[in-house]
Amino acid sequence: MILHELLDYQTLRVIWWLLLGVLLIGFAVMDGFDLGTGMLLPFVGRDDVERRVVINTVGPVWEGNQVWLILGGGAIFAAWPPLYAVSFSGFYLAMFAILFALILRPVGFKYRSKRESAAWRSGWDWALFIGGLVPALVMGVAVGNVLQGVPFRFGTDLRIFYDGTTLFELLNPFGLLCGLLSVAMLVMHGASWLVLKTEGTVAARARRYGVGAAIATIVLFALGGIWLWLGIDGYHITSTVVTDGPSNPLAKTVERASGVWFENYGNHPWMIIAPVLGFVGALANLALQRGRREIVPVLASAVSILGIISTVGLSMFPMILPSSLDPNSSLTVWDASSSHLTLFIMLVVTAIFIPLIVAYTSWVYHVLWGKVDEKEIRDGSGHAY
């Protein structure tokens, strides 16, 4: 037996669909509190020392957290080439905006304290705010547009044609609602992180913003579900489903219909756990904000993020990227993957390196555990930003 045949093609495709979700959730949870902290920076820190405290809660770890974004992009490139080709070309301007905003973060961290000027430091504080807001907003907007369908099609030679024109087309009402949900979700997560890592007035302000963000997360998540049920058509395969055939998106027929994004919950009732976790995590975060165990709200917001992102993936399965222009060109788990051998080799590599990344990350957080002390910021001891 050839080694890669130990796992059949269908199973490997599902595994890599799950791994893609794990990597995206890992990015949202691990880098999400960095983004949320950046968005809160100008508001929870009222003077230079307080803002430096906020920055130093994420300064030592943000680079390691961002590895999840790199892994997610690499997984899309290697495991789902058509998805990479369509999304990274169709959402090119959106991706550029995200990358530009993410580049502001390291520059802001490194250059903010290079000068004593209040105007200089305030400018970089707002740059860090933009570096948190824009990725959170645009990624949420992108998810909202994916749920509605993206205007692309394949020619008979499988050449991709994308008929979207401007970035502003993505900023439709439902897309903006999803973007606001993403912002609220990550602000909730960032506020919980600041409560864990700071003390005094900074922690108190973060707690107040966290309460508002948790309420907004619950309301926006509920509104998004209602809107998706009543006003957004879903996509489903109407031809015979071939789960282990070659990756040819045109070898099927797809139709749009109302309520389709909720069919999986009727066919597989266990999937309801995902939206339940989205609501329960946010409610737990809201209820436990003033608890003594400050790590618990962070875990609760992480559970909410897990539930919200999983809800999108489970609702769409097996769709990955539906086409509003030509539904038959929609990309699914069964026709947008790399070859059987490629998926198997990547799985072996992933099984080796993901545990190493998790172990190293856990060790780093263990070493850096504890609150950021204002006294160390004021007297310049250590290597504070």
Side-chain angles (χ1 to χ4, degrees), residues 204-284:
R205 293 188 196 113
R207 186 176 287 109
R208 289 198 295 271
Y209 282 108
V211 168
I215 294 172
T217 299
I218 295 166
V219 172
L220 291 170
F221 189 36
L223 286 176
I226 294 170
W227 195 336
L228 197 65
W229 172 260
L230 298 178
I232 305 295
D233 289 342
Y235 297 75
H236 62 151
I237 302 172
T238 56
S239 60
T240 302
V241 178
V242 179
T243 60
D244 57 355
S247 290
N248 180 3
L250 297 180
K252 66 180 183 307
T253 58
V254 174
E255 291 183 358
R256 297 177 62 173
S258 61
V260 168
W261 290 146
F262 292 82
E263 284 184 348
N264 281 342
Y265 298 104
N267 297 331
H268 309 283
W270 62 267
M271 289 184 177
I272 198 68
I273 189 65
V276 168
L277 287 177
F279 284 114
V280 168
L283 285 168

Side-chain angles (χ1 to χ4, degrees), residues 357-374:
I357 292 171
V358 172
Y360 173 74
T361 301
S362 301
W363 178 78
V364 168
Y365 277 88
H366 173 72
V367 171
L368 297 174
W369 197 252
K371 293 183 180 289
V372 177
D373 191 343
E374 280 193 27

Side-chain angles (χ1 to χ4, degrees), residues 4 20 23 36 49 74 102 143 154 160 189 235 277 286 297 340 369:
H4 73 272
L20 178 60
L23 294 174
V49 172
L102 290 176
V143 171
F154 286 97
I160 299 169
H189 199 38
Y235 297 75
L277 287 177
L286 181 62
H340 190 172
W369 197 252

Side-chain angles (χ1 to χ4, degrees), residues 83-140:
L83 174 62
Y84 181 90
V86 175
S87 59
F88 278 69
S89 58
F91 294 149
Y92 180 79
L93 292 177
M95 297 287 184
F96 185 84
I98 291 172
L99 290 175
F100 176 78
L102 290 176
I103 288 170
L104 286 176
R105 284 201 300 176
V107 179
F109 288 145
K110 298 296 183 183
Y111 282 89
R112 182 191 181 277
S113 296
K114 294 295 185 181
R115 295 176 57 184
E116 296 292 336
S117 166
W120 169 270
R121 294 188 174 188
S122 177
W124 284 115
D125 290 339
W126 285 103
L128 290 171
F129 167 79
I130 293 171
L133 175 66
V134 170
L137 179 65
V138 174
M139 289 178 183

